[in-house]
PDB file of all heavy atoms in Angstrom:
ATOM      1  N   GLU A  13     -14.500  24.024 -51.603  1.00  0.00           N
ATOM      2  CA  GLU A  13     -13.323  23.050 -51.249  1.00  0.00           C
ATOM      3  C   GLU A  13     -12.317  23.732 -50.331  1.00  0.00           C
ATOM      4  O   GLU A  13     -11.791  23.178 -49.375  1.00  0.00           O
ATOM      5  CB  GLU A  13     -12.625  22.551 -52.510  1.00  0.00           C
ATOM      6  CG  GLU A  13     -13.645  21.565 -53.277  1.00  0.00           C
ATOM      7  CD  GLU A  13     -14.538  22.366 -54.140  1.00  0.00           C
ATOM      8  OE1 GLU A  13     -14.376  23.568 -54.307  1.00  0.00           O
ATOM      9  OE2 GLU A  13     -15.434  21.769 -54.722  1.00  0.00           O
ATOM     10  N   GLN A  14     -12.231  25.053 -50.611  1.00  0.00           N
ATOM     11  CA  GLN A  14     -11.122  25.864 -49.885  1.00  0.00           C
ATOM     12  C   GLN A  14     -11.720  26.026 -48.449  1.00  0.00           C
ATOM     13  O   GLN A  14     -11.011  25.890 -47.391  1.00  0.00           O
ATOM     14  CB  GLN A  14     -10.952  27.131 -50.513  1.00  0.00           C
ATOM     15  CG  GLN A  14      -9.844  28.028 -49.929  1.00  0.00           C
ATOM     16  CD  GLN A  14      -8.547  27.600 -50.452  1.00  0.00           C
ATOM     17  OE1 GLN A  14      -8.309  26.360 -50.756  1.00  0.00           O
ATOM     18  NE2 GLN A  14      -7.557  28.572 -50.794  1.00  0.00           N
ATOM     19  N   LEU A  15     -13.004  26.333 -48.325  1.00  0.00           N
ATOM     20  CA  LEU A  15     -13.656  26.569 -46.990  1.00  0.00           C
ATOM     21  C   LEU A  15     -13.571  25.252 -46.081  1.00  0.00           C
ATOM     22  O   LEU A  15     -13.410  25.214 -44.928  1.00  0.00           O
ATOM     23  CB  LEU A  15     -14.995  26.983 -47.064  1.00  0.00           C
ATOM     24  CG  LEU A  15     -15.314  28.494 -47.256  1.00  0.00           C
ATOM     25  CD1 LEU A  15     -16.784  28.722 -47.450  1.00  0.00           C
ATOM     26  CD2 LEU A  15     -14.830  29.277 -45.916  1.00  0.00           C
ATOM     27  N   GLU A  16     -13.808  24.078 -46.893  1.00  0.00           N
ATOM     28  CA  GLU A  16     -13.651  22.830 -46.108  1.00  0.00           C
ATOM     29  C   GLU A  16     -12.450  22.498 -45.487  1.00  0.00           C
ATOM     30  O   GLU A  16     -12.298  21.642 -44.660  1.00  0.00           O
ATOM     31  CB  GLU A  16     -14.174  21.726 -47.075  1.00  0.00           C
ATOM     32  CG  GLU A  16     -15.688  21.892 -47.426  1.00  0.00           C
ATOM     33  CD  GLU A  16     -16.191  20.770 -48.337  1.00  0.00           C
ATOM     34  OE1 GLU A  16     -15.346  20.089 -49.016  1.00  0.00           O
ATOM     35  OE2 GLU A  16     -17.423  20.504 -48.391  1.00  0.00           O
ATOM     36  N   LYS A  17     -11.351  22.973 -46.126  1.00  0.00           N
ATOM     37  CA  LYS A  17     -10.016  22.749 -45.646  1.00  0.00           C
ATOM     38  C   LYS A  17      -9.499  23.721 -44.539  1.00  0.00           C
ATOM     39  O   LYS A  17      -8.535  23.616 -44.030  1.00  0.00           O
ATOM     40  CB  LYS A  17      -8.999  22.885 -46.814  1.00  0.00           C
ATOM     41  CG  LYS A  17      -9.179  21.781 -47.773  1.00  0.00           C
ATOM     42  CD  LYS A  17      -8.061  21.708 -48.817  1.00  0.00           C
ATOM     43  CE  LYS A  17      -8.027  23.071 -49.737  1.00  0.00           C
ATOM     44  NZ  LYS A  17      -6.963  22.859 -50.885  1.00  0.00           N
ATOM     45  N   THR A  18     -10.296  24.708 -44.322  1.00  0.00           N
ATOM     46  CA  THR A  18      -9.890  25.911 -43.497  1.00  0.00           C
ATOM     47  C   THR A  18     -10.304  25.565 -42.062  1.00  0.00           C
ATOM     48  O   THR A  18     -11.358  25.162 -41.571  1.00  0.00           O
ATOM     49  CB  THR A  18     -10.684  27.132 -43.890  1.00  0.00           C
ATOM     50  OG1 THR A  18     -10.397  27.460 -45.280  1.00  0.00           O
ATOM     51  CG2 THR A  18     -10.337  28.327 -42.928  1.00  0.00           C
ATOM     52  N   ASP A  19      -9.229  25.777 -41.193  1.00  0.00           N
ATOM     53  CA  ASP A  19      -9.445  25.601 -39.765  1.00  0.00           C
ATOM     54  C   ASP A  19      -9.819  27.007 -39.120  1.00  0.00           C
ATOM     55  O   ASP A  19     -10.657  27.030 -38.168  1.00  0.00           O
ATOM     56  CB  ASP A  19      -8.158  25.109 -38.984  1.00  0.00           C
ATOM     57  CG  ASP A  19      -7.799  23.749 -39.429  1.00  0.00           C
ATOM     58  OD1 ASP A  19      -8.729  22.856 -39.381  1.00  0.00           O
ATOM     59  OD2 ASP A  19      -6.616  23.480 -39.844  1.00  0.00           O
ATOM     60  N   VAL A  20      -9.155  28.112 -39.526  1.00  0.00           N
ATOM     61  CA  VAL A  20      -9.522  29.397 -39.107  1.00  0.00           C
ATOM     62  C   VAL A  20      -9.550  30.339 -40.130  1.00  0.00           C
ATOM     63  O   VAL A  20      -8.771  30.435 -41.058  1.00  0.00           O
ATOM     64  CB  VAL A  20      -8.435  29.847 -37.969  1.00  0.00           C
ATOM     65  CG1 VAL A  20      -6.966  29.775 -38.500  1.00  0.00           C
ATOM     66  CG2 VAL A  20      -8.753  31.213 -37.429  1.00  0.00           C
ATOM     67  N   LEU A  21     -10.509  31.193 -40.160  1.00  0.00           N
ATOM     68  CA  LEU A  21     -10.803  32.269 -41.145  1.00  0.00           C
ATOM     69  C   LEU A  21     -10.506  33.622 -40.539  1.00  0.00           C
ATOM     70  O   LEU A  21     -11.175  33.979 -39.589  1.00  0.00           O
ATOM     71  CB  LEU A  21     -12.220  32.192 -41.684  1.00  0.00           C
ATOM     72  CG  LEU A  21     -12.678  33.223 -42.645  1.00  0.00           C
ATOM     73  CD1 LEU A  21     -11.812  33.267 -43.954  1.00  0.00           C
ATOM     74  CD2 LEU A  21     -14.164  33.128 -42.906  1.00  0.00           C
ATOM     75  N   PHE A  22      -9.599  34.360 -41.106  1.00  0.00           N
ATOM     76  CA  PHE A  22      -9.363  35.733 -40.636  1.00  0.00           C
ATOM     77  C   PHE A  22     -10.277  36.620 -41.546  1.00  0.00           C
ATOM     78  O   PHE A  22     -10.207  36.707 -42.776  1.00  0.00           O
ATOM     79  CB  PHE A  22      -7.949  36.204 -40.836  1.00  0.00           C
ATOM     80  CG  PHE A  22      -6.901  35.360 -40.012  1.00  0.00           C
ATOM     81  CD1 PHE A  22      -6.178  34.285 -40.505  1.00  0.00           C
ATOM     82  CD2 PHE A  22      -6.870  35.728 -38.651  1.00  0.00           C
ATOM     83  CE1 PHE A  22      -5.520  33.573 -39.632  1.00  0.00           C
ATOM     84  CE2 PHE A  22      -5.922  35.117 -37.740  1.00  0.00           C
ATOM     85  CZ  PHE A  22      -5.329  33.971 -38.256  1.00  0.00           C
ATOM     86  N   LEU A  23     -11.231  37.337 -40.903  1.00  0.00           N
ATOM     87  CA  LEU A  23     -12.401  37.839 -41.637  1.00  0.00           C
ATOM     88  C   LEU A  23     -12.380  39.340 -41.359  1.00  0.00           C
ATOM     89  O   LEU A  23     -12.640  39.829 -40.210  1.00  0.00           O
ATOM     90  CB  LEU A  23     -13.629  37.161 -41.193  1.00  0.00           C
ATOM     91  CG  LEU A  23     -14.887  37.735 -41.770  1.00  0.00           C
ATOM     92  CD1 LEU A  23     -14.909  37.564 -43.305  1.00  0.00           C
ATOM     93  CD2 LEU A  23     -16.163  36.940 -41.105  1.00  0.00           C
ATOM     94  N   ASP A  24     -12.239  40.129 -42.422  1.00  0.00           N
ATOM     95  CA  ASP A  24     -12.438  41.671 -42.338  1.00  0.00           C
ATOM     96  C   ASP A  24     -13.940  41.823 -42.349  1.00  0.00           C
ATOM     97  O   ASP A  24     -14.745  40.996 -42.896  1.00  0.00           O
ATOM     98  CB  ASP A  24     -11.712  42.314 -43.517  1.00  0.00           C
ATOM     99  CG  ASP A  24     -11.783  43.862 -43.299  1.00  0.00           C
ATOM    100  OD1 ASP A  24     -11.986  44.341 -42.212  1.00  0.00           O
ATOM    101  OD2 ASP A  24     -11.624  44.528 -44.340  1.00  0.00           O
ATOM    102  N   ILE A  25     -14.397  43.018 -41.964  1.00  0.00           N
ATOM    103  CA  ILE A  25     -15.863  43.410 -41.893  1.00  0.00           C
ATOM    104  C   ILE A  25     -16.248  44.227 -43.172  1.00  0.00           C
ATOM    105  O   ILE A  25     -17.179  43.886 -43.911  1.00  0.00           O
ATOM    106  CB  ILE A  25     -16.312  44.008 -40.684  1.00  0.00           C
ATOM    107  CG1 ILE A  25     -16.205  42.923 -39.476  1.00  0.00           C
ATOM    108  CG2 ILE A  25     -17.796  44.548 -40.897  1.00  0.00           C
ATOM    109  CD1 ILE A  25     -16.548  43.577 -38.243  1.00  0.00           C
ATOM    110  N   GLN A  26     -15.403  45.254 -43.521  1.00  0.00           N
ATOM    111  CA  GLN A  26     -15.717  46.102 -44.587  1.00  0.00           C
ATOM    112  C   GLN A  26     -15.184  45.460 -45.880  1.00  0.00           C
ATOM    113  O   GLN A  26     -13.995  45.661 -46.161  1.00  0.00           O
ATOM    114  CB  GLN A  26     -15.040  47.467 -44.304  1.00  0.00           C
ATOM    115  CG  GLN A  26     -15.583  48.261 -43.077  1.00  0.00           C
ATOM    116  CD  GLN A  26     -17.003  48.679 -43.289  1.00  0.00           C
ATOM    117  OE1 GLN A  26     -17.543  48.814 -44.448  1.00  0.00           O
ATOM    118  NE2 GLN A  26     -17.650  48.728 -42.137  1.00  0.00           N
ATOM    119  N   LEU A  27     -16.140  44.784 -46.530  1.00  0.00           N
ATOM    120  CA  LEU A  27     -15.695  44.118 -47.793  1.00  0.00           C
ATOM    121  C   LEU A  27     -16.601  44.502 -49.017  1.00  0.00           C
ATOM    122  O   LEU A  27     -17.731  44.747 -48.707  1.00  0.00           O
ATOM    123  CB  LEU A  27     -15.805  42.531 -47.606  1.00  0.00           C
ATOM    124  CG  LEU A  27     -14.772  41.850 -46.624  1.00  0.00           C
ATOM    125  CD1 LEU A  27     -15.204  40.603 -46.390  1.00  0.00           C
ATOM    126  CD2 LEU A  27     -13.405  41.977 -47.117  1.00  0.00           C
ATOM    127  N   PRO A  28     -16.121  44.339 -50.212  1.00  0.00           N
ATOM    128  CA  PRO A  28     -16.983  44.501 -51.309  1.00  0.00           C
ATOM    129  C   PRO A  28     -18.092  43.534 -51.491  1.00  0.00           C
ATOM    130  O   PRO A  28     -17.912  42.465 -51.055  1.00  0.00           O
ATOM    131  CB  PRO A  28     -15.984  44.499 -52.540  1.00  0.00           C
ATOM    132  CG  PRO A  28     -14.884  43.613 -51.991  1.00  0.00           C
ATOM    133  CD  PRO A  28     -14.816  43.970 -50.554  1.00  0.00           C
ATOM    134  N   GLU A  29     -19.214  43.957 -52.003  1.00  0.00           N
ATOM    135  CA  GLU A  29     -20.386  43.058 -52.372  1.00  0.00           C
ATOM    136  C   GLU A  29     -21.090  42.566 -51.115  1.00  0.00           C
ATOM    137  O   GLU A  29     -22.276  42.678 -51.037  1.00  0.00           O
ATOM    138  CB  GLU A  29     -19.900  41.774 -53.204  1.00  0.00           C
ATOM    139  CG  GLU A  29     -19.251  42.295 -54.567  1.00  0.00           C
ATOM    140  CD  GLU A  29     -18.823  41.072 -55.387  1.00  0.00           C
ATOM    141  OE1 GLU A  29     -18.071  40.184 -54.823  1.00  0.00           O
ATOM    142  OE2 GLU A  29     -19.173  40.837 -56.430  1.00  0.00           O
ATOM    143  N   LEU A  30     -20.427  42.013 -50.145  1.00  0.00           N
ATOM    144  CA  LEU A  30     -21.090  41.391 -49.039  1.00  0.00           C
ATOM    145  C   LEU A  30     -20.009  41.575 -47.878  1.00  0.00           C
ATOM    146  O   LEU A  30     -18.946  41.117 -47.860  1.00  0.00           O
ATOM    147  CB  LEU A  30     -21.222  39.881 -49.157  1.00  0.00           C
ATOM    148  CG  LEU A  30     -22.121  39.052 -48.197  1.00  0.00           C
ATOM    149  CD1 LEU A  30     -23.546  39.567 -48.347  1.00  0.00           C
ATOM    150  CD2 LEU A  30     -22.121  37.650 -48.602  1.00  0.00           C
ATOM    151  N   ASN A  31     -20.521  42.228 -46.781  1.00  0.00           N
ATOM    152  CA  ASN A  31     -19.731  42.522 -45.642  1.00  0.00           C
ATOM    153  C   ASN A  31     -19.353  41.205 -44.840  1.00  0.00           C
ATOM    154  O   ASN A  31     -20.083  40.199 -45.075  1.00  0.00           O
ATOM    155  CB  ASN A  31     -20.131  43.680 -44.620  1.00  0.00           C
ATOM    156  CG  ASN A  31     -21.282  43.170 -43.767  1.00  0.00           C
ATOM    157  OD1 ASN A  31     -21.322  42.197 -43.218  1.00  0.00           O
ATOM    158  ND2 ASN A  31     -22.256  44.060 -43.761  1.00  0.00           N
ATOM    159  N   GLY A  32     -18.269  41.198 -44.074  1.00  0.00           N
ATOM    160  CA  GLY A  32     -17.807  39.986 -43.428  1.00  0.00           C
ATOM    161  C   GLY A  32     -18.791  39.317 -42.481  1.00  0.00           C
ATOM    162  O   GLY A  32     -19.065  38.017 -42.675  1.00  0.00           O
ATOM    163  N   ILE A  33     -19.635  40.111 -41.765  1.00  0.00           N
ATOM    164  CA  ILE A  33     -20.592  39.450 -40.812  1.00  0.00           C
ATOM    165  C   ILE A  33     -21.774  38.829 -41.724  1.00  0.00           C
ATOM    166  O   ILE A  33     -22.303  37.773 -41.383  1.00  0.00           O
ATOM    167  CB  ILE A  33     -21.031  40.453 -39.869  1.00  0.00           C
ATOM    168  CG1 ILE A  33     -19.905  40.840 -38.828  1.00  0.00           C
ATOM    169  CG2 ILE A  33     -22.292  39.815 -39.060  1.00  0.00           C
ATOM    170  CD1 ILE A  33     -20.296  41.702 -37.799  1.00  0.00           C
ATOM    171  N   SER A  34     -22.160  39.536 -42.641  1.00  0.00           N
ATOM    172  CA  SER A  34     -23.187  39.115 -43.562  1.00  0.00           C
ATOM    173  C   SER A  34     -22.704  37.729 -44.285  1.00  0.00           C
ATOM    174  O   SER A  34     -23.609  36.744 -44.394  1.00  0.00           O
ATOM    175  CB  SER A  34     -23.574  40.100 -44.654  1.00  0.00           C
ATOM    176  OG  SER A  34     -24.235  41.238 -44.048  1.00  0.00           O
ATOM    177  N   PHE A  35     -21.583  37.676 -44.602  1.00  0.00           N
ATOM    178  CA  PHE A  35     -20.920  36.525 -45.291  1.00  0.00           C
ATOM    179  C   PHE A  35     -20.975  35.366 -44.316  1.00  0.00           C
ATOM    180  O   PHE A  35     -21.317  34.170 -44.482  1.00  0.00           O
ATOM    181  CB  PHE A  35     -19.577  36.749 -45.820  1.00  0.00           C
ATOM    182  CG  PHE A  35     -18.823  35.563 -46.284  1.00  0.00           C
ATOM    183  CD1 PHE A  35     -19.164  34.809 -47.373  1.00  0.00           C
ATOM    184  CD2 PHE A  35     -17.783  34.979 -45.560  1.00  0.00           C
ATOM    185  CE1 PHE A  35     -18.583  33.559 -47.761  1.00  0.00           C
ATOM    186  CE2 PHE A  35     -17.082  33.885 -45.875  1.00  0.00           C
ATOM    187  CZ  PHE A  35     -17.552  33.184 -46.979  1.00  0.00           C
ATOM    188  N   LEU A  36     -20.542  35.608 -43.005  1.00  0.00           N
ATOM    189  CA  LEU A  36     -20.462  34.622 -42.004  1.00  0.00           C
ATOM    190  C   LEU A  36     -21.859  34.044 -41.787  1.00  0.00           C
ATOM    191  O   LEU A  36     -21.920  32.854 -41.435  1.00  0.00           O
ATOM    192  CB  LEU A  36     -19.909  35.287 -40.764  1.00  0.00           C
ATOM    193  CG  LEU A  36     -19.773  34.362 -39.565  1.00  0.00           C
ATOM    194  CD1 LEU A  36     -18.831  33.196 -39.791  1.00  0.00           C
ATOM    195  CD2 LEU A  36     -19.162  35.174 -38.331  1.00  0.00           C
ATOM    196  N   LYS A  37     -22.861  34.846 -41.798  1.00  0.00           N
ATOM    197  CA  LYS A  37     -24.204  34.395 -41.576  1.00  0.00           C
ATOM    198  C   LYS A  37     -24.696  33.398 -42.679  1.00  0.00           C
ATOM    199  O   LYS A  37     -25.671  32.587 -42.430  1.00  0.00           O
ATOM    200  CB  LYS A  37     -25.188  35.528 -41.470  1.00  0.00           C
ATOM    201  CG  LYS A  37     -25.037  36.540 -40.129  1.00  0.00           C
ATOM    202  CD  LYS A  37     -25.955  37.553 -40.218  1.00  0.00           C
ATOM    203  CE  LYS A  37     -25.742  38.412 -39.013  1.00  0.00           C
ATOM    204  NZ  LYS A  37     -26.699  39.628 -39.005  1.00  0.00           N
ATOM    205  N   THR A  38     -24.030  33.379 -43.870  1.00  0.00           N
ATOM    206  CA  THR A  38     -24.366  32.559 -44.884  1.00  0.00           C
ATOM    207  C   THR A  38     -23.812  31.152 -44.704  1.00  0.00           C
ATOM    208  O   THR A  38     -24.293  30.180 -45.337  1.00  0.00           O
ATOM    209  CB  THR A  38     -24.036  33.029 -46.269  1.00  0.00           C
ATOM    210  OG1 THR A  38     -22.560  32.976 -46.362  1.00  0.00           O
ATOM    211  CG2 THR A  38     -24.526  34.471 -46.522  1.00  0.00           C
ATOM    212  N   LEU A  39     -22.884  30.933 -43.898  1.00  0.00           N
ATOM    213  CA  LEU A  39     -22.142  29.659 -43.608  1.00  0.00           C
ATOM    214  C   LEU A  39     -22.830  28.798 -42.437  1.00  0.00           C
ATOM    215  O   LEU A  39     -22.983  29.389 -41.383  1.00  0.00           O
ATOM    216  CB  LEU A  39     -20.698  29.940 -43.174  1.00  0.00           C
ATOM    217  CG  LEU A  39     -19.803  30.794 -44.213  1.00  0.00           C
ATOM    218  CD1 LEU A  39     -18.458  30.914 -43.613  1.00  0.00           C
ATOM    219  CD2 LEU A  39     -19.789  30.174 -45.566  1.00  0.00           C
ATOM    220  N   ARG A  40     -23.395  27.692 -42.884  1.00  0.00           N
ATOM    221  CA  ARG A  40     -24.054  26.808 -42.006  1.00  0.00           C
ATOM    222  C   ARG A  40     -23.135  26.248 -40.860  1.00  0.00           C
ATOM    223  O   ARG A  40     -23.428  26.304 -39.700  1.00  0.00           O
ATOM    224  CB  ARG A  40     -24.692  25.712 -42.648  1.00  0.00           C
ATOM    225  CG  ARG A  40     -25.562  24.861 -41.781  1.00  0.00           C
ATOM    226  CD  ARG A  40     -26.521  23.913 -42.629  1.00  0.00           C
ATOM    227  NE  ARG A  40     -27.305  23.008 -41.778  1.00  0.00           N
ATOM    228  CZ  ARG A  40     -28.168  22.109 -42.242  1.00  0.00           C
ATOM    229  NH1 ARG A  40     -28.316  21.975 -43.529  1.00  0.00           N
ATOM    230  NH2 ARG A  40     -28.816  21.380 -41.434  1.00  0.00           N
ATOM    231  N   ASN A  41     -21.964  25.864 -41.218  1.00  0.00           N
ATOM    232  CA  ASN A  41     -20.919  25.391 -40.355  1.00  0.00           C
ATOM    233  C   ASN A  41     -19.503  25.928 -40.675  1.00  0.00           C
ATOM    234  O   ASN A  41     -18.789  25.266 -41.163  1.00  0.00           O
ATOM    235  CB  ASN A  41     -20.895  23.765 -40.436  1.00  0.00           C
ATOM    236  CG  ASN A  41     -22.018  23.144 -39.700  1.00  0.00           C
ATOM    237  OD1 ASN A  41     -22.165  23.131 -38.579  1.00  0.00           O
ATOM    238  ND2 ASN A  41     -22.805  22.449 -40.510  1.00  0.00           N
ATOM    239  N   PRO A  42     -19.303  27.207 -40.201  1.00  0.00           N
ATOM    240  CA  PRO A  42     -18.157  27.936 -40.652  1.00  0.00           C
ATOM    241  C   PRO A  42     -16.930  27.321 -39.850  1.00  0.00           C
ATOM    242  O   PRO A  42     -17.072  26.684 -38.782  1.00  0.00           O
ATOM    243  CB  PRO A  42     -18.418  29.344 -40.179  1.00  0.00           C
ATOM    244  CG  PRO A  42     -19.403  29.232 -39.028  1.00  0.00           C
ATOM    245  CD  PRO A  42     -20.261  28.007 -39.367  1.00  0.00           C
ATOM    246  N   PRO A  43     -15.766  27.651 -40.288  1.00  0.00           N
ATOM    247  CA  PRO A  43     -14.524  27.301 -39.470  1.00  0.00           C
ATOM    248  C   PRO A  43     -14.484  28.246 -38.363  1.00  0.00           C
ATOM    249  O   PRO A  43     -15.387  29.147 -38.100  1.00  0.00           O
ATOM    250  CB  PRO A  43     -13.415  27.616 -40.509  1.00  0.00           C
ATOM    251  CG  PRO A  43     -13.951  28.495 -41.364  1.00  0.00           C
ATOM    252  CD  PRO A  43     -15.429  28.349 -41.589  1.00  0.00           C
ATOM    253  N   LEU A  44     -13.559  28.101 -37.497  1.00  0.00           N
ATOM    254  CA  LEU A  44     -13.286  29.161 -36.454  1.00  0.00           C
ATOM    255  C   LEU A  44     -12.996  30.462 -37.136  1.00  0.00           C
ATOM    256  O   LEU A  44     -12.290  30.472 -38.144  1.00  0.00           O
ATOM    257  CB  LEU A  44     -12.145  28.712 -35.522  1.00  0.00           C
ATOM    258  CG  LEU A  44     -12.351  27.398 -34.705  1.00  0.00           C
ATOM    259  CD1 LEU A  44     -11.178  27.209 -33.809  1.00  0.00           C
ATOM    260  CD2 LEU A  44     -13.627  27.515 -33.888  1.00  0.00           C
ATOM    261  N   VAL A  45     -13.570  31.540 -36.582  1.00  0.00           N
ATOM    262  CA  VAL A  45     -13.375  32.875 -37.198  1.00  0.00           C
ATOM    263  C   VAL A  45     -12.804  33.913 -36.226  1.00  0.00           C
ATOM    264  O   VAL A  45     -13.191  34.012 -35.050  1.00  0.00           O
ATOM    265  CB  VAL A  45     -14.790  33.271 -37.660  1.00  0.00           C
ATOM    266  CG1 VAL A  45     -14.659  34.855 -38.126  1.00  0.00           C
ATOM    267  CG2 VAL A  45     -15.427  32.348 -38.812  1.00  0.00           C
ATOM    268  N   VAL A  46     -11.734  34.585 -36.780  1.00  0.00           N
ATOM    269  CA  VAL A  46     -11.133  35.674 -36.057  1.00  0.00           C
ATOM    270  C   VAL A  46     -11.354  36.994 -36.989  1.00  0.00           C
ATOM    271  O   VAL A  46     -10.998  37.012 -38.033  1.00  0.00           O
ATOM    272  CB  VAL A  46      -9.609  35.386 -35.919  1.00  0.00           C
ATOM    273  CG1 VAL A  46      -8.962  36.630 -35.228  1.00  0.00           C
ATOM    274  CG2 VAL A  46      -9.352  34.281 -34.880  1.00  0.00           C
TER     275      VAL A  46
END
């Protein structure tokens, strides 16, 4: 529900469990990403 309300996601790359780009690849229709 939080992702659905998001217009822009500020995304770091070095993250625990799943890095930022890998997470982005899991989103079928992501918000705009910076």
Side-chain angles (χ1 to χ4, degrees):
E13 295 78 15
Q14 191 83 323
L15 272 176
E16 290 180 342
K17 294 188 293 185
T18 303
D19 294 312
V20 58
L21 172 65
F22 295 101
L23 180 63
D24 188 21
I25 292 178
Q26 298 294 333
L27 294 169
E29 301 180 303
L30 190 66
N31 76 44
I33 293 179
S34 295
F35 169 68
L36 180 57
K37 290 178 179 178
T38 70
L39 303 179
R40 186 170 178 181
N41 283 294
L44 296 180
V45 175
V46 174

